[in-house]
Amino acid sequence: MPRVLLIEDDPSVREGVELGLRRRGHEVRTAATGEAGLAALAEFQPDLLLLDLMLPGVNGVEVCRRVREDSQLPIIMLTARGDDFDVVIGLEAGADDYIVKPARTEVIEARIRAVLRRMEAPGGQRPAVEQHGGLTLDRAGLTVTKDGLRLDLAPSELRLLLHLSAAPEQVFSRQQLLEHVWEHSYHGDARLVDACVRRLRNKIEDVPGTPRYIQTLRGFGYRFGPL
Amino acid sequence: MPAESRTPHESRTPRGPRRTSGSQETTEFRPERRRRIVPFGLRTRLILAFLLVAAVSAGTTATLTYREARNSVVSAAQDTAVASFRDEVEQMGSTSLPVLPDRLKEDLQRIARKGKPRPWYVYAEYGTLRISSGTNPESSVITPELRRATNSRGRLHGSFERVVKDGVPYLTIGMPVVFRAGGAGVLPTGLALYAVMPMTEEQTQTEALVSAARAGAMPGLVIALLPALLAASSVLRPVRGLRRAARNMGSGKLDTRIPVRGRDELADLARTFNESAGELERSVTELRRAEERARRFASDVSHELRTPLAGMLAVTEVLDEDAERLPPDTARAVRLISAETGKLAVLIEDLMEISRFDARAAELHTDEIDVAETIRRTLQNRHWTGGHPEQVRTDLPDGIRARLDPRRFDVVVANLVGNALRHGAAPVTVRLRRATAVDGTPLVVTEVTDSGPGIRPDVLPHIFDRFYKADAARTRSVGSGLGLAITLENVHLHGGTIRAANRQDVPHVPHDPYGFPEPYAAGSTGAVFTVEIPLDAETPPDPMEDLA
């Protein structure tokens, strides 16, 4: 069962979520501040970070940014719907998904599982290692290299890239991507997709302004290639 | 009601033309009626009034002057003629008898020559005898009335009359010839003399007077036009300013004030306007502040409630799972708490959503979607389709793509269908079609119909009110009581409209190209909610565009 680090300043939310997740078999460590959370990170070695955005001191967005500096740890933000600005900032800072509070434990756990789920191995004929231009995708090892250099991709970025490249030149609507990559309902928040595409382009494109791998089809969605 | 629901085209209603600015208020709100009653504008009316006053005074003065002058001219000539004729006739007096035609003619010619101020024609009548100083023995301008007056016994001093014949005015004087019968008595001789004098010269003089009066009055009128224009514009400028200010106020610029000039009635009006505007601004500001406080309070309360609720909601599962191991009473209490926590979470979420709409903080995150597919997913996610018997029937033509906020549209459809299932009755029908608004905007129309008894007429106007309870007993509804209010706000946020009606009241259009394949059966009941949203809900900068 995954190890989850929860950084949340409100004691009742912290305890409630901890209790709920622990009952479902997760190993949970909690921290009340960003500093304490960052400290616990190295020692606890979690599989996933549940992060409240509104924290005293070092806030959630800052924590997210610091974690992303040297780690591709999956991060799910805990937010209040309507705090739109924070959501966008958090996604830009590298969060993989977000959960709107208040949420039932089953919802939190479903999101955790979706983020942690390993991409299925490609069906049949396709070799595990693919070459697309300068990109080398290893579907089994879940690594991406560009011109021989290994790229550090956050889980959501990796899943998005693998999903798009599994069907090159096929257009996926943002709602479809939300459903397949994030396992959200069909009516999810498309900003999740846009922010992830933006982050991914910054890492894989030669010129992020004129994307070659992940192309936009205005009004329809995104597609991989043609190269 | 939110601001966007106030019909925006109302402010675009063409104002009454400037000409009818006679009354600010009436012109603005009942231009049609106003126009019929007052055909001219204030400016025209003011100028006309000025000219009328000038014309009346000039005309009266001219007329009076003319009449006086003419009277003095005419009566002077008249008096001279009558007096001198009387003298002549008196001189003739007794010498005239007996009447000898030849001598009489000589006398007449003599008198005619002596005529003052101008020579006369003199006629004599004696019985059937007719003699004149001229060639015609009888005059055609002597009227029977004059003859009668002359021959009457009481008028021995003679009579006169002014007669116009063929456009020429004549003075006719009749004088009986009398003789003195000793003492003071006088007796008519039966001979009557008539003098006829054309008054053309007097007429010429009076005509000169008329043209003089006219020549004096016309420039007067023209000169009167000047102060009329000045007065009109001095009255109209403040009126126009007032009109502009009132319009500004109407369009929400409550800090509009009018500069007060002078101390006249218009200045008073401006001052009153300013005071009222100030008063209005103060109360509106106060109202806004109160509204703002109320809004922030609702928002703060929901925020504050949400945090403890987040903790509670996370542990409801623990309660539910362990309830069966607890003593029955404790188990019931625990389940109650768990269930109510869930409802409370929905209520708080809805309250927060509403307060975001109130604070205009609700944002539209549009995406181009297939509407039929989106509705299908909404129904699937809630497990409303596929059951037996089917709760929800659909008529969703493919290929309708629209730019909508998928999450908000999901809320709209889910709320309407959920509402129909809860308060109406299954089967519920969801229909999708295209339509065109009056102004040509392409619309996507979603219609949710249930098979229940319909909405009571007294409830219908309040159906979108917050927490509105259809039945007076204040039972708590199954939902939050905010579902339809949130639906309305979401539709408005898309720039669309939503209507609630009863099926029997909705007219079926047989030739509607997007008409329903299955017309409503006659006499069938049920509520119909119709949502119309523009195909392109709004045109924000495409978020995908700035990635490219």
Side-chain angles (χ1 to χ4, degrees):
Chain A
M1 269 294 173
R3 299 153 64 85
V4 177
L5 175 61
L6 169 66
I7 307 181
E8 163 70 61
D9 62 322
D10 186 85
S12 84
V13 181
R14 197 167 60 228
E15 267 181 61
V17 173
E18 184 188 2
L19 190 58
L21 288 177
R22 193 165 281 154
R23 284 280 294 217
R24 287 182 169 246
H26 296 269
E27 199 174 321
V28 186
R29 173 76 67 91
T30 62
T33 63
E35 290 88 341
L38 285 168
L41 211 56
E43 178 224 334
F44 182 59
Q45 293 290 332
D47 299 312
L48 182 129
L49 178 58
L50 259 181
L51 181 61
D52 182 25
L53 278 189
M54 305 277 272
L55 289 173
V58 179
N59 69 23
V61 175
E62 185 55 34
V63 171
C64 191
R65 205 169 282 137
R66 286 202 205 162
V67 171
R68 275 285 170 269
E69 275 170 14
D70 56 356
S71 149
Q72 300 313 318
L73 176 71
I75 301 175
I76 298 178
M77 301 184 293
L78 285 171
T79 73
R81 177 178 294 144
D83 302 344
D84 276 349
F85 187 67
D86 292 335
V87 168
V88 173
I89 302 264
L91 291 174
E92 295 295 330
D96 294 290
D97 201 349
Y98 70 92
I99 297 172
V100 177
K101 285 192 287 190
R104 293 176 182 276
T105 307
E106 53 183 288
V107 174
I108 300 174
E109 208 215 358
R111 289 289 167 81
I112 291 176
R113 248 187 283 133
V115 170
L116 291 178
R117 187 170 293 134
R118 292 173 66 86
M119 295 299 294
E120 318 85 67
Q125 310 91 330
R126 214 175 261 281
V129 177
E130 297 167 15
Q131 191 71 34
H132 298 279
L135 288 181
T136 310
L137 309 180
D138 180 352
R139 290 186 180 273
L142 296 178
T143 55
V144 178
T145 52
K146 188 189 176 198
D147 304 328
L149 285 174
R150 185 171 163 170
L151 297 178
D152 287 329
L153 297 185
S156 56
E157 295 159 11
L158 182 67
R159 286 163 65 89
L160 177 64
L161 179 59
L162 293 182
H163 186 81
L164 285 173
S165 61
E169 297 185 36
Q170 184 185 328
V171 182
F172 295 92
S173 76
R174 295 190 283 183
Q175 294 300 328
Q176 283 172 323
L177 292 173
L178 271 173
E179 226 176 344
H180 291 119
V181 178
W182 280 267
E183 299 181 20
H184 277 221
S185 79
Y186 193 71
H187 313 290
D189 185 350
R191 289 173 303 170
L192 217 51
V193 184
D194 294 334
C196 189
V197 165
R198 216 181 334 246
R199 286 181 349 233
L200 189 55
R201 278 177 177 164
N202 283 331
K203 291 179 181 172
I204 65 170
E205 300 287 353
D206 304 316
V207 188
T210 49
R212 179 171 164 236
Y213 299 106
I214 298 184
Q215 300 180 359
T216 303
L217 251 90
R218 216 192 148 189
F220 287 90
Y222 298 105
R223 70 176 174 204
F224 187 83
L227 298 175
Chain B
M1 292 289 273
E4 54 263 46
S5 78
R6 258 186 279 137
T7 46
H9 51 262
E10 199 171 66
S11 59
R12 268 183 254 133
T13 309
R15 317 249 167 190
R18 174 167 295 182
R19 294 166 56 82
T20 57
S21 61
S23 157
Q24 185 73 28
E25 193 184 308
T26 358
T27 311
E28 289 299 320
F29 294 102
R30 292 179 297 179
E32 288 311 315
R33 208 181 131 198
R34 216 42 213 174
R35 206 171 299 150
R36 231 179 301 135
I37 296 171
V38 184
F40 298 117
L42 192 54
R43 172 190 292 271
T44 319
R45 276 188 284 158
L46 267 171
I47 291 173
L48 283 180
F50 258 88
L51 287 184
L52 191 66
V53 168
V56 166
S57 52
T60 311
T61 314
T63 309
L64 286 176
T65 313
Y66 162 72
R67 203 187 309 147
E68 279 305 304
R70 192 196 61 171
N71 278 353
S72 64
V73 166
V74 169
S75 53
Q78 193 170 277
D79 291 350
T80 313
V82 171
S84 55
F85 189 56
R86 188 180 294 128
D87 284 351
E88 293 301 325
V89 173
E90 269 174 11
Q91 271 180 29
M92 220 180 112
S94 45
T95 63
S96 61
L97 287 176
V99 175
L100 302 169
D102 290 344
R103 213 183 68 203
L104 190 57
K105 187 162 178 93
E106 274 172 35
D107 284 343
L108 294 183
Q109 281 169 344
R110 183 176 47 82
I111 293 170
R113 275 197 303 277
K114 282 188 180 166
K116 278 181 193 162
R118 276 183 304 285
W120 307 314
Y121 300 97
V122 185
Y123 300 86
E125 295 182 358
Y126 185 71
T128 53
L129 185 68
R130 298 285 185 270
I131 293 172
S132 81
S133 61
T135 46
N136 264 349
E138 198 170 358
S139 166
S140 58
V141 295
I142 297 169
T143 59
E145 288 83 41
L146 183 68
R147 275 198 187 98
R148 207 175 307 124
T150 309
N151 290 326
S152 75
R153 282 191 159 261
R155 304 286 297 270
L156 296 178
H157 292 292
S159 312
F160 66 88
E161 193 182 26
R162 282 206 297 270
V163 179
V164 178
K165 186 152 197 278
D166 300 333
V168 182
Y170 295 95
L171 177 67
T172 57
I173 311 166
M175 199 68 73
V177 179
V178 297
F179 62 86
R180 291 178 202 284
V186 283
L187 285 171
T189 58
L191 175 68
L193 295 189
Y194 297 94
V196 174
M197 183 178 80
M199 296 193 58
T200 39
E201 201 163 304
E202 284 74 16
Q203 195 189 20
T204 317
Q205 281 179 25
T206 52
E207 271 169 8
L209 278 173
V210 170
S211 53
R214 199 185 291 141
M218 285 314 285
L221 281 184
V222 174
I223 291 166
L225 198 60
L226 232 82
L229 282 169
L230 274 175
S233 68
S234 75
V235 169
L236 285 180
R237 202 180 312 114
V239 167
R240 229 177 286 138
L242 200 61
R243 176 194 163 91
R244 229 188 341 262
R247 191 184 289 172
N248 280 347
M249 293 279 291
S251 63
K253 288 178 208 145
L254 294 180
D255 56 345
T256 306
R257 297 291 182 275
I258 306 171
V260 180
R261 284 195 204 92
R263 309 189 59 79
D264 56 3
E265 288 84 348
L266 284 167
D268 282 345
L269 183 59
R271 216 171 287 122
T272 312
F273 179 92
N274 286 349
E275 281 163 14
S276 310
E279 209 52 53
L280 190 64
E281 192 183 7
R282 260 192 298 286
S283 24
V284 167
T285 313
E286 185 48 46
L287 263 176
R288 280 197 188 134
R289 232 177 262 144
E291 207 187 334
E292 182 61 34
R293 273 199 298 272
R295 248 189 234 145
R296 206 173 318 126
F297 181 71
S299 170
D300 289 351
V301 165
S302 331
H303 254 285
E304 290 303 318
L305 287 176
R306 186 171 49 178
T307 308
L309 203 58
M312 286 159 71
L313 201 60
V315 297
T316 50
E317 261 178 32
V318 180
L319 297 182
D320 287 338
E321 280 170 18
D322 291 359
E324 51 205 60
R325 276 179 266 144
L326 296 171
D329 279 0
T330 319
R332 273 177 65 192
V334 159
R335 287 205 181 95
L336 183 77
I337 288 174
S338 168
E340 290 300 315
T341 304
K343 286 182 195 162
L344 199 56
V346 173
L347 176 60
I348 298 290
E349 220 20 72
D350 283 356
L351 266 176
M352 293 205 46
E353 187 76 2
I354 278 282
S355 56
R356 268 192 293 278
F357 281 116
D358 287 349
R360 312 226 190 302
E363 286 177 32
L364 205 59
H365 299 295
T366 60
D367 200 358
E368 187 163 325
I369 55 163
D370 185 312
V371 186
E373 175 66 11
T374 306
I375 294 177
R376 244 175 253 128
R377 294 301 183 109
T378 297
L379 300 176
Q380 266 169 30
N381 286 348
R382 272 118 183 137
H383 310 291
W384 280 329
T385 44
H388 287 286
E390 206 158 47
Q391 285 184 290
V392 180
R393 292 188 299 197
T394 57
D395 172 20
L396 306 170
D398 282 313
I400 300 183
R401 290 183 72 80
R403 176 161 279 279
L404 303 171
D405 184 325
R407 186 185 72 78
R408 293 189 186 282
F409 189 67
D410 171 65
V411 168
V412 168
V413 175
N415 275 346
L416 289 181
V417 175
N419 188 70
L421 288 171
R422 223 168 15 240
H423 301 290
V428 170
T429 309
V430 183
R431 290 190 170 95
L432 178 68
R433 65 194 157 103
R434 260 194 248 260
T436 308
V438 186
D439 63 353
T441 317
L443 299 173
V444 52
V445 182
T446 315
E447 205 173 56
V448 177
T449 314
D450 67 53
S451 311
I455 308 165
R456 285 211 317 270
D458 57 318
V459 176
L460 205 48
H462 306 286
I463 197 85
F464 295 108
D465 290 0
R466 296 168 187 189
F467 298 120
Y468 185 76
K469 298 285 189 291
D471 35 354
R474 294 198 133 257
T475 50
R476 199 151 53 99
S477 60
V478 187
S480 68
L482 289 167
L484 285 181
I486 288 176
T487 305
L488 175 86
E489 297 285 0
N490 273 318
V491 171
H492 283 168
L493 195 63
H494 281 89
T497 56
I498 182 167
R499 288 191 305 274
N502 285 318
R503 202 192 275 201
Q504 54 270 33
D505 304 333
V506 177
H508 176 66
V509 188
H511 299 299
D512 184 359
Y514 302 108
F516 312 119
E518 167 201 341
Y520 300 127
S524 61
T525 58
V528 184
F529 285 84
T530 311
V531 175
E532 293 182 342
I533 293 178
L535 269 187
D536 200 345
E538 42 134 46
T539 37
D542 191 340
M544 288 203 267
E545 191 74 332
D546 55 9
L547 299 176

